[in-house]
PDB file of all heavy atoms in Angstrom:
ATOM      1  N   SER A 913       1.907  -3.589   3.470  1.00 84.00           N
ATOM      2  CA  SER A 913       2.077  -2.145   3.222  1.00 84.00           C
ATOM      3  C   SER A 913       1.346  -1.323   4.284  1.00 84.00           C
ATOM      4  O   SER A 913       1.849  -0.290   4.762  1.00 84.00           O
ATOM      5  CB  SER A 913       1.552  -1.794   1.832  1.00 84.00           C
ATOM      6  OG  SER A 913       2.263  -2.499   0.839  1.00 84.00           O
ATOM      7  N   LEU A 914       0.146  -1.808   4.645  1.00 78.00           N
ATOM      8  CA  LEU A 914      -0.619  -1.105   5.675  1.00 78.00           C
ATOM      9  C   LEU A 914       0.107  -1.142   7.018  1.00 78.00           C
ATOM     10  O   LEU A 914       0.153  -0.141   7.758  1.00 78.00           O
ATOM     11  CB  LEU A 914      -2.008  -1.735   5.795  1.00 78.00           C
ATOM     12  CG  LEU A 914      -3.010  -1.021   6.701  1.00 78.00           C
ATOM     13  CD1 LEU A 914      -3.296   0.381   6.165  1.00 78.00           C
ATOM     14  CD2 LEU A 914      -4.308  -1.826   6.794  1.00 78.00           C
ATOM     15  N   PHE A 915       0.703  -2.315   7.311  1.00 78.00           N
ATOM     16  CA  PHE A 915       1.443  -2.459   8.563  1.00 78.00           C
ATOM     17  C   PHE A 915       2.662  -1.526   8.574  1.00 78.00           C
ATOM     18  O   PHE A 915       2.974  -0.895   9.601  1.00 78.00           O
ATOM     19  CB  PHE A 915       1.874  -3.917   8.720  1.00 78.00           C
ATOM     20  CG  PHE A 915       2.522  -4.207  10.032  1.00 78.00           C
ATOM     21  CD1 PHE A 915       1.770  -4.329  11.196  1.00 78.00           C
ATOM     22  CD2 PHE A 915       3.901  -4.361  10.121  1.00 78.00           C
ATOM     23  CE1 PHE A 915       2.386  -4.595  12.405  1.00 78.00           C
ATOM     24  CE2 PHE A 915       4.508  -4.625  11.331  1.00 78.00           C
ATOM     25  CZ  PHE A 915       3.754  -4.753  12.475  1.00 78.00           C
ATOM     26  N   ARG A 916       3.350  -1.396   7.454  1.00 82.00           N
ATOM     27  CA  ARG A 916       4.519  -0.528   7.361  1.00 82.00           C
ATOM     28  C   ARG A 916       4.115   0.952   7.471  1.00 82.00           C
ATOM     29  O   ARG A 916       4.869   1.781   8.010  1.00 82.00           O
ATOM     30  CB  ARG A 916       5.272  -0.776   6.054  1.00 82.00           C
ATOM     31  CG  ARG A 916       5.946  -2.137   6.012  1.00 82.00           C
ATOM     32  CD  ARG A 916       6.631  -2.370   4.673  1.00 82.00           C
ATOM     33  NE  ARG A 916       7.200  -3.691   4.609  1.00 82.00           N
ATOM     34  CZ  ARG A 916       8.405  -4.032   5.082  1.00 82.00           C
ATOM     35  NH1 ARG A 916       9.172  -3.098   5.660  1.00 82.00           N
ATOM     36  NH2 ARG A 916       8.855  -5.264   4.989  1.00 82.00           N
ATOM     37  N   MET A 917       2.938   1.273   6.937  1.00 79.00           N
ATOM     38  CA  MET A 917       2.441   2.641   7.088  1.00 79.00           C
ATOM     39  C   MET A 917       2.258   2.981   8.565  1.00 79.00           C
ATOM     40  O   MET A 917       2.557   4.103   9.020  1.00 79.00           O
ATOM     41  CB  MET A 917       1.113   2.802   6.348  1.00 79.00           C
ATOM     42  CG  MET A 917       1.235   2.855   4.825  1.00 79.00           C
ATOM     43  SD  MET A 917      -0.402   2.888   4.053  1.00 79.00           S
ATOM     44  CE  MET A 917      -1.078   4.393   4.774  1.00 79.00           C
ATOM     45  N   ALA A 918       1.753   1.973   9.294  1.00 78.00           N
ATOM     46  CA  ALA A 918       1.513   2.208  10.724  1.00 78.00           C
ATOM     47  C   ALA A 918       2.819   2.383  11.486  1.00 78.00           C
ATOM     48  O   ALA A 918       2.873   3.113  12.495  1.00 78.00           O
ATOM     49  CB  ALA A 918       0.706   1.058  11.318  1.00 78.00           C
ATOM     50  N   LEU A 919       3.891   1.763  11.009  1.00 77.00           N
ATOM     51  CA  LEU A 919       5.178   1.849  11.699  1.00 77.00           C
ATOM     52  C   LEU A 919       5.997   3.055  11.262  1.00 77.00           C
ATOM     53  O   LEU A 919       6.934   3.463  11.964  1.00 77.00           O
ATOM     54  CB  LEU A 919       5.990   0.565  11.477  1.00 77.00           C
ATOM     55  CG  LEU A 919       5.400  -0.726  12.046  1.00 77.00           C
ATOM     56  CD1 LEU A 919       6.287  -1.912  11.684  1.00 77.00           C
ATOM     57  CD2 LEU A 919       5.256  -0.619  13.565  1.00 77.00           C
ATOM     58  N   ALA A 920       5.730   3.625  10.092  1.00 77.00           N
ATOM     59  CA  ALA A 920       6.554   4.708   9.557  1.00 77.00           C
ATOM     60  C   ALA A 920       6.203   6.027  10.224  1.00 77.00           C
ATOM     61  O   ALA A 920       5.013   6.360  10.428  1.00 77.00           O
ATOM     62  CB  ALA A 920       6.356   4.807   8.054  1.00 77.00           C
ATOM     63  N   ASP A 921       7.244   6.798  10.570  1.00 75.00           N
ATOM     64  CA  ASP A 921       7.035   8.134  11.140  1.00 75.00           C
ATOM     65  C   ASP A 921       7.220   9.224  10.080  1.00 75.00           C
ATOM     66  O   ASP A 921       6.668  10.320  10.209  1.00 75.00           O
ATOM     67  CB  ASP A 921       8.040   8.358  12.287  1.00 75.00           C
ATOM     68  CG  ASP A 921       7.772   7.425  13.464  1.00 75.00           C
ATOM     69  OD1 ASP A 921       6.589   7.076  13.663  1.00 75.00           O
ATOM     70  OD2 ASP A 921       8.753   7.041  14.134  1.00 75.00           O
ATOM     71  N   ASP A 922       7.997   8.901   9.044  1.00 79.00           N
ATOM     72  CA  ASP A 922       8.275   9.868   7.987  1.00 79.00           C
ATOM     73  C   ASP A 922       7.065   9.948   7.050  1.00 79.00           C
ATOM     74  O   ASP A 922       6.606   8.917   6.512  1.00 79.00           O
ATOM     75  CB  ASP A 922       9.517   9.448   7.212  1.00 79.00           C
ATOM     76  CG  ASP A 922       9.916  10.505   6.187  1.00 79.00           C
ATOM     77  OD1 ASP A 922       9.268  11.558   6.122  1.00 79.00           O
ATOM     78  OD2 ASP A 922      10.879  10.242   5.422  1.00 79.00           O
ATOM     79  N   PRO A 923       6.512  11.130   6.803  1.00 77.00           N
ATOM     80  CA  PRO A 923       5.333  11.252   5.913  1.00 77.00           C
ATOM     81  C   PRO A 923       5.637  10.751   4.491  1.00 77.00           C
ATOM     82  O   PRO A 923       4.779  10.145   3.841  1.00 77.00           O
ATOM     83  CB  PRO A 923       5.015  12.746   5.939  1.00 77.00           C
ATOM     84  CG  PRO A 923       5.622  13.251   7.194  1.00 77.00           C
ATOM     85  CD  PRO A 923       6.842  12.430   7.443  1.00 77.00           C
ATOM     86  N   PHE A 924       6.860  11.017   4.009  1.00 82.00           N
ATOM     87  CA  PHE A 924       7.188  10.566   2.650  1.00 82.00           C
ATOM     88  C   PHE A 924       7.252   9.040   2.569  1.00 82.00           C
ATOM     89  O   PHE A 924       6.792   8.421   1.603  1.00 82.00           O
ATOM     90  CB  PHE A 924       8.525  11.182   2.207  1.00 82.00           C
ATOM     91  CG  PHE A 924       8.472  12.660   2.042  1.00 82.00           C
ATOM     92  CD1 PHE A 924       8.991  13.510   3.024  1.00 82.00           C
ATOM     93  CD2 PHE A 924       7.870  13.224   0.922  1.00 82.00           C
ATOM     94  CE1 PHE A 924       8.935  14.875   2.868  1.00 82.00           C
ATOM     95  CE2 PHE A 924       7.839  14.613   0.765  1.00 82.00           C
ATOM     96  CZ  PHE A 924       8.362  15.439   1.746  1.00 82.00           C
ATOM     97  N   GLU A 925       7.837   8.431   3.574  1.00 83.00           N
ATOM     98  CA  GLU A 925       7.894   6.961   3.599  1.00 83.00           C
ATOM     99  C   GLU A 925       6.488   6.389   3.686  1.00 83.00           C
ATOM    100  O   GLU A 925       6.153   5.369   3.041  1.00 83.00           O
ATOM    101  CB  GLU A 925       8.736   6.507   4.789  1.00 83.00           C
ATOM    102  CG  GLU A 925       8.902   4.986   4.848  1.00 83.00           C
ATOM    103  CD  GLU A 925       9.726   4.569   6.054  1.00 83.00           C
ATOM    104  OE1 GLU A 925      10.220   5.461   6.786  1.00 83.00           O
ATOM    105  OE2 GLU A 925       9.862   3.339   6.240  1.00 83.00           O
ATOM    106  N   ARG A 926       5.620   7.073   4.480  1.00 78.00           N
ATOM    107  CA  ARG A 926       4.246   6.582   4.599  1.00 78.00           C
ATOM    108  C   ARG A 926       3.510   6.689   3.260  1.00 78.00           C
ATOM    109  O   ARG A 926       2.719   5.805   2.908  1.00 78.00           O
ATOM    110  CB  ARG A 926       3.530   7.401   5.674  1.00 78.00           C
ATOM    111  CG  ARG A 926       2.120   6.924   5.978  1.00 78.00           C
ATOM    112  CD  ARG A 926       1.514   7.735   7.103  1.00 78.00           C
ATOM    113  NE  ARG A 926       2.265   7.543   8.362  1.00 78.00           N
ATOM    114  CZ  ARG A 926       2.018   8.221   9.475  1.00 78.00           C
ATOM    115  NH1 ARG A 926       1.082   9.170   9.497  1.00 78.00           N
ATOM    116  NH2 ARG A 926       2.717   7.992  10.576  1.00 78.00           N
ATOM    117  N   ASP A 927       3.796   7.761   2.502  1.00 82.00           N
ATOM    118  CA  ASP A 927       3.162   7.897   1.176  1.00 82.00           C
ATOM    119  C   ASP A 927       3.604   6.784   0.233  1.00 82.00           C
ATOM    120  O   ASP A 927       2.804   6.270  -0.574  1.00 82.00           O
ATOM    121  CB  ASP A 927       3.500   9.260   0.579  1.00 82.00           C
ATOM    122  CG  ASP A 927       2.792  10.408   1.317  1.00 82.00           C
ATOM    123  OD1 ASP A 927       1.791  10.112   2.003  1.00 82.00           O
ATOM    124  OD2 ASP A 927       3.243  11.555   1.169  1.00 82.00           O
ATOM    125  N   THR A 928       4.895   6.437   0.329  1.00 87.00           N
ATOM    126  CA  THR A 928       5.399   5.346  -0.529  1.00 87.00           C
ATOM    127  C   THR A 928       4.674   4.045  -0.231  1.00 87.00           C
ATOM    128  O   THR A 928       4.234   3.314  -1.146  1.00 87.00           O
ATOM    129  CB  THR A 928       6.909   5.176  -0.328  1.00 87.00           C
ATOM    130  OG1 THR A 928       7.571   6.389  -0.641  1.00 87.00           O
ATOM    131  CG2 THR A 928       7.441   4.050  -1.204  1.00 87.00           C
ATOM    132  N   HIS A 929       4.513   3.731   1.063  1.00 81.00           N
ATOM    133  CA  HIS A 929       3.799   2.495   1.446  1.00 81.00           C
ATOM    134  C   HIS A 929       2.327   2.573   1.056  1.00 81.00           C
ATOM    135  O   HIS A 929       1.707   1.553   0.702  1.00 81.00           O
ATOM    136  CB  HIS A 929       3.935   2.246   2.949  1.00 81.00           C
ATOM    137  CG  HIS A 929       5.331   1.922   3.384  1.00 81.00           C
ATOM    138  ND1 HIS A 929       6.103   0.978   2.755  1.00 81.00           N
ATOM    139  CD2 HIS A 929       6.105   2.435   4.403  1.00 81.00           C
ATOM    140  CE1 HIS A 929       7.287   0.897   3.346  1.00 81.00           C
ATOM    141  NE2 HIS A 929       7.319   1.801   4.363  1.00 81.00           N
ATOM    142  N   PHE A 930       1.785   3.788   1.113  1.00 82.00           N
ATOM    143  CA  PHE A 930       0.370   3.935   0.734  1.00 82.00           C
ATOM    144  C   PHE A 930       0.174   3.656  -0.765  1.00 82.00           C
ATOM    145  O   PHE A 930      -0.834   3.044  -1.159  1.00 82.00           O
ATOM    146  CB  PHE A 930      -0.108   5.342   1.097  1.00 82.00           C
ATOM    147  CG  PHE A 930      -1.557   5.585   0.771  1.00 82.00           C
ATOM    148  CD1 PHE A 930      -2.562   4.992   1.530  1.00 82.00           C
ATOM    149  CD2 PHE A 930      -1.922   6.393  -0.303  1.00 82.00           C
ATOM    150  CE1 PHE A 930      -3.894   5.204   1.216  1.00 82.00           C
ATOM    151  CE2 PHE A 930      -3.258   6.604  -0.610  1.00 82.00           C
ATOM    152  CZ  PHE A 930      -4.248   6.008   0.144  1.00 82.00           C
ATOM    153  N   MET A 931       1.108   4.117  -1.598  1.00 88.00           N
ATOM    154  CA  MET A 931       1.025   3.830  -3.041  1.00 88.00           C
ATOM    155  C   MET A 931       1.134   2.327  -3.298  1.00 88.00           C
ATOM    156  O   MET A 931       0.405   1.761  -4.139  1.00 88.00           O
ATOM    157  CB  MET A 931       2.139   4.579  -3.784  1.00 88.00           C
ATOM    158  CG  MET A 931       1.973   6.098  -3.772  1.00 88.00           C
ATOM    159  SD  MET A 931       3.339   6.958  -4.580  1.00 88.00           S
ATOM    160  CE  MET A 931       3.211   6.303  -6.221  1.00 88.00           C
ATOM    161  N   GLU A 932       2.045   1.656  -2.572  1.00 87.00           N
ATOM    162  CA  GLU A 932       2.176   0.204  -2.712  1.00 87.00           C
ATOM    163  C   GLU A 932       0.900  -0.490  -2.235  1.00 87.00           C
ATOM    164  O   GLU A 932       0.458  -1.499  -2.821  1.00 87.00           O
ATOM    165  CB  GLU A 932       3.383  -0.280  -1.915  1.00 87.00           C
ATOM    166  CG  GLU A 932       3.731  -1.750  -2.166  1.00 87.00           C
ATOM    167  CD  GLU A 932       5.011  -2.135  -1.457  1.00 87.00           C
ATOM    168  OE1 GLU A 932       5.616  -1.272  -0.782  1.00 87.00           O
ATOM    169  OE2 GLU A 932       5.405  -3.312  -1.576  1.00 87.00           O
ATOM    170  N   PHE A 933       0.279   0.072  -1.178  1.00 81.00           N
ATOM    171  CA  PHE A 933      -0.981  -0.457  -0.669  1.00 81.00           C
ATOM    172  C   PHE A 933      -2.076  -0.376  -1.731  1.00 81.00           C
ATOM    173  O   PHE A 933      -2.828  -1.333  -1.953  1.00 81.00           O
ATOM    174  CB  PHE A 933      -1.369   0.341   0.603  1.00 81.00           C
ATOM    175  CG  PHE A 933      -2.742   0.082   1.108  1.00 81.00           C
ATOM    176  CD1 PHE A 933      -3.027  -1.046   1.871  1.00 81.00           C
ATOM    177  CD2 PHE A 933      -3.781   0.976   0.830  1.00 81.00           C
ATOM    178  CE1 PHE A 933      -4.307  -1.270   2.330  1.00 81.00           C
ATOM    179  CE2 PHE A 933      -5.067   0.735   1.287  1.00 81.00           C
ATOM    180  CZ  PHE A 933      -5.328  -0.387   2.047  1.00 81.00           C
ATOM    181  N   ASN A 934      -2.164   0.769  -2.400  1.00 85.00           N
ATOM    182  CA  ASN A 934      -3.179   0.922  -3.450  1.00 85.00           C
ATOM    183  C   ASN A 934      -2.918   0.010  -4.649  1.00 85.00           C
ATOM    184  O   ASN A 934      -3.848  -0.571  -5.236  1.00 85.00           O
ATOM    185  CB  ASN A 934      -3.230   2.385  -3.901  1.00 85.00           C
ATOM    186  CG  ASN A 934      -3.856   3.273  -2.857  1.00 85.00           C
ATOM    187  OD1 ASN A 934      -4.682   2.819  -2.054  1.00 85.00           O
ATOM    188  ND2 ASN A 934      -3.472   4.548  -2.825  1.00 85.00           N
ATOM    189  N   ARG A 935      -1.620  -0.100  -5.029  1.00 89.00           N
ATOM    190  CA  ARG A 935      -1.281  -0.970  -6.172  1.00 89.00           C
ATOM    191  C   ARG A 935      -1.623  -2.433  -5.865  1.00 89.00           C
ATOM    192  O   ARG A 935      -2.142  -3.156  -6.713  1.00 89.00           O
ATOM    193  CB  ARG A 935       0.192  -0.813  -6.510  1.00 89.00           C
ATOM    194  CG  ARG A 935       0.593  -1.619  -7.747  1.00 89.00           C
ATOM    195  CD  ARG A 935       1.968  -1.208  -8.280  1.00 89.00           C
ATOM    196  NE  ARG A 935       3.002  -1.376  -7.246  1.00 89.00           N
ATOM    197  CZ  ARG A 935       3.597  -0.379  -6.606  1.00 89.00           C
ATOM    198  NH1 ARG A 935       3.262   0.885  -6.864  1.00 89.00           N
ATOM    199  NH2 ARG A 935       4.534  -0.605  -5.688  1.00 89.00           N
ATOM    200  N   ALA A 936      -1.344  -2.876  -4.646  1.00 83.00           N
ATOM    201  CA  ALA A 936      -1.690  -4.242  -4.260  1.00 83.00           C
ATOM    202  C   ALA A 936      -3.197  -4.450  -4.267  1.00 83.00           C
ATOM    203  O   ALA A 936      -3.707  -5.496  -4.662  1.00 83.00           O
ATOM    204  CB  ALA A 936      -1.102  -4.563  -2.882  1.00 83.00           C
ATOM    205  N   GLY A 937      -3.941  -3.420  -3.833  1.00 84.00           N
ATOM    206  CA  GLY A 937      -5.392  -3.533  -3.887  1.00 84.00           C
ATOM    207  C   GLY A 937      -5.895  -3.669  -5.312  1.00 84.00           C
ATOM    208  O   GLY A 937      -6.851  -4.408  -5.580  1.00 84.00           O
ATOM    209  N   PHE A 938      -5.254  -2.909  -6.221  1.00 86.00           N
ATOM    210  CA  PHE A 938      -5.635  -3.040  -7.624  1.00 86.00           C
ATOM    211  C   PHE A 938      -5.378  -4.464  -8.145  1.00 86.00           C
ATOM    212  O   PHE A 938      -6.193  -5.032  -8.881  1.00 86.00           O
ATOM    213  CB  PHE A 938      -4.858  -2.024  -8.458  1.00 86.00           C
ATOM    214  CG  PHE A 938      -5.044  -2.184  -9.935  1.00 86.00           C
ATOM    215  CD1 PHE A 938      -6.210  -1.750 -10.559  1.00 86.00           C
ATOM    216  CD2 PHE A 938      -4.058  -2.792 -10.710  1.00 86.00           C
ATOM    217  CE1 PHE A 938      -6.380  -1.912 -11.922  1.00 86.00           C
ATOM    218  CE2 PHE A 938      -4.229  -2.951 -12.061  1.00 86.00           C
ATOM    219  CZ  PHE A 938      -5.386  -2.518 -12.683  1.00 86.00           C
ATOM    220  N   LEU A 939      -4.264  -5.046  -7.732  1.00 87.00           N
ATOM    221  CA  LEU A 939      -3.930  -6.397  -8.168  1.00 87.00           C
ATOM    222  C   LEU A 939      -4.922  -7.424  -7.616  1.00 87.00           C
ATOM    223  O   LEU A 939      -5.301  -8.376  -8.309  1.00 87.00           O
ATOM    224  CB  LEU A 939      -2.505  -6.757  -7.744  1.00 87.00           C
ATOM    225  CG  LEU A 939      -1.383  -5.985  -8.429  1.00 87.00           C
ATOM    226  CD1 LEU A 939      -0.030  -6.368  -7.838  1.00 87.00           C
ATOM    227  CD2 LEU A 939      -1.399  -6.245  -9.933  1.00 87.00           C
ATOM    228  N   VAL A 940      -5.343  -7.215  -6.361  1.00 82.00           N
ATOM    229  CA  VAL A 940      -6.351  -8.117  -5.784  1.00 82.00           C
ATOM    230  C   VAL A 940      -7.648  -8.041  -6.585  1.00 82.00           C
ATOM    231  O   VAL A 940      -8.265  -9.056  -6.930  1.00 82.00           O
ATOM    232  CB  VAL A 940      -6.592  -7.775  -4.297  1.00 82.00           C
ATOM    233  CG1 VAL A 940      -7.799  -8.553  -3.758  1.00 82.00           C
ATOM    234  CG2 VAL A 940      -5.357  -8.088  -3.470  1.00 82.00           C
ATOM    235  N   GLY A 941      -8.089  -6.842  -6.890  1.00 85.00           N
ATOM    236  CA  GLY A 941      -9.317  -6.694  -7.675  1.00 85.00           C
ATOM    237  C   GLY A 941      -9.188  -7.258  -9.073  1.00 85.00           C
ATOM    238  O   GLY A 941     -10.130  -7.896  -9.589  1.00 85.00           O
ATOM    239  N   SER A 942      -8.031  -7.055  -9.721  1.00 87.00           N
ATOM    240  CA  SER A 942      -7.830  -7.584 -11.075  1.00 87.00           C
ATOM    241  C   SER A 942      -7.856  -9.110 -11.083  1.00 87.00           C
ATOM    242  O   SER A 942      -8.448  -9.752 -11.958  1.00 87.00           O
ATOM    243  CB  SER A 942      -6.485  -7.086 -11.632  1.00 87.00           C
ATOM    244  OG  SER A 942      -6.476  -5.678 -11.730  1.00 87.00           O
ATOM    245  N   GLY A 943      -7.181  -9.723 -10.048  1.00 84.00           N
ATOM    246  CA  GLY A 943      -7.176 -11.184  -9.984  1.00 84.00           C
ATOM    247  C   GLY A 943      -8.563 -11.752  -9.796  1.00 84.00           C
ATOM    248  O   GLY A 943      -8.945 -12.746 -10.429  1.00 84.00           O
ATOM    249  N   ARG A 944      -9.349 -11.126  -8.940  1.00 83.00           N
ATOM    250  CA  ARG A 944     -10.720 -11.616  -8.703  1.00 83.00           C
ATOM    251  C   ARG A 944     -11.595 -11.424  -9.944  1.00 83.00           C
ATOM    252  O   ARG A 944     -12.430 -12.274 -10.267  1.00 83.00           O
ATOM    253  CB  ARG A 944     -11.310 -10.888  -7.494  1.00 83.00           C
ATOM    254  CG  ARG A 944     -10.721 -11.352  -6.168  1.00 83.00           C
ATOM    255  CD  ARG A 944     -11.238 -10.519  -4.995  1.00 83.00           C
ATOM    256  NE  ARG A 944     -12.693 -10.455  -4.958  1.00 83.00           N
ATOM    257  CZ  ARG A 944     -13.487 -11.428  -4.514  1.00 83.00           C
ATOM    258  NH1 ARG A 944     -12.935 -12.546  -4.030  1.00 83.00           N
ATOM    259  NH2 ARG A 944     -14.796 -11.293  -4.517  1.00 83.00           N
ATOM    260  N   ASN A 945     -11.427 -10.321 -10.653  1.00 88.00           N
ATOM    261  CA  ASN A 945     -12.202 -10.114 -11.888  1.00 88.00           C
ATOM    262  C   ASN A 945     -11.842 -11.168 -12.949  1.00 88.00           C
ATOM    263  O   ASN A 945     -12.715 -11.665 -13.679  1.00 88.00           O
ATOM    264  CB  ASN A 945     -11.946  -8.713 -12.443  1.00 88.00           C
ATOM    265  CG  ASN A 945     -12.596  -7.641 -11.595  1.00 88.00           C
ATOM    266  OD1 ASN A 945     -13.617  -7.895 -10.942  1.00 88.00           O
ATOM    267  ND2 ASN A 945     -12.018  -6.443 -11.584  1.00 88.00           N
ATOM    268  N   ALA A 946     -10.552 -11.484 -13.031  1.00 86.00           N
ATOM    269  CA  ALA A 946     -10.128 -12.505 -13.998  1.00 86.00           C
ATOM    270  C   ALA A 946     -10.716 -13.869 -13.642  1.00 86.00           C
ATOM    271  O   ALA A 946     -11.151 -14.627 -14.523  1.00 86.00           O
ATOM    272  CB  ALA A 946      -8.595 -12.589 -14.040  1.00 86.00           C
ATOM    273  N   LEU A 947     -10.784 -14.184 -12.333  1.00 81.00           N
ATOM    274  CA  LEU A 947     -11.406 -15.446 -11.907  1.00 81.00           C
ATOM    275  C   LEU A 947     -12.892 -15.462 -12.265  1.00 81.00           C
ATOM    276  O   LEU A 947     -13.425 -16.464 -12.750  1.00 81.00           O
ATOM    277  CB  LEU A 947     -11.239 -15.619 -10.390  1.00 81.00           C
ATOM    278  CG  LEU A 947      -9.895 -16.159  -9.903  1.00 81.00           C
ATOM    279  CD1 LEU A 947      -9.825 -16.104  -8.380  1.00 81.00           C
ATOM    280  CD2 LEU A 947      -9.692 -17.590 -10.380  1.00 81.00           C
TER     281      LEU A 947
END
């Protein structure tokens, strides 16, 4: 998602990738907490 943000020129598309970036970060933290 971070890589796609860097490639996107459209601000709206970049926001979409940023939301996916944050959601993935939440999943990483949740998985580590469960471990």
Side-chain angles (χ1 to χ4, degrees):
S913 299
L914 187 62
F915 186 76
R916 291 177 183 275
M917 286 175 60
L919 296 177
D921 294 329
D922 186 3
F924 294 102
E925 183 181 356
R926 185 177 296 174
D927 290 340
T928 301
H929 293 311
F930 181 72
M931 293 177 61
E932 189 174 0
F933 170 80
N934 288 333
R935 184 166 58 252
F938 173 77
L939 292 176
V940 171
S942 298
R944 287 175 53 78
N945 288 332
L947 279 173

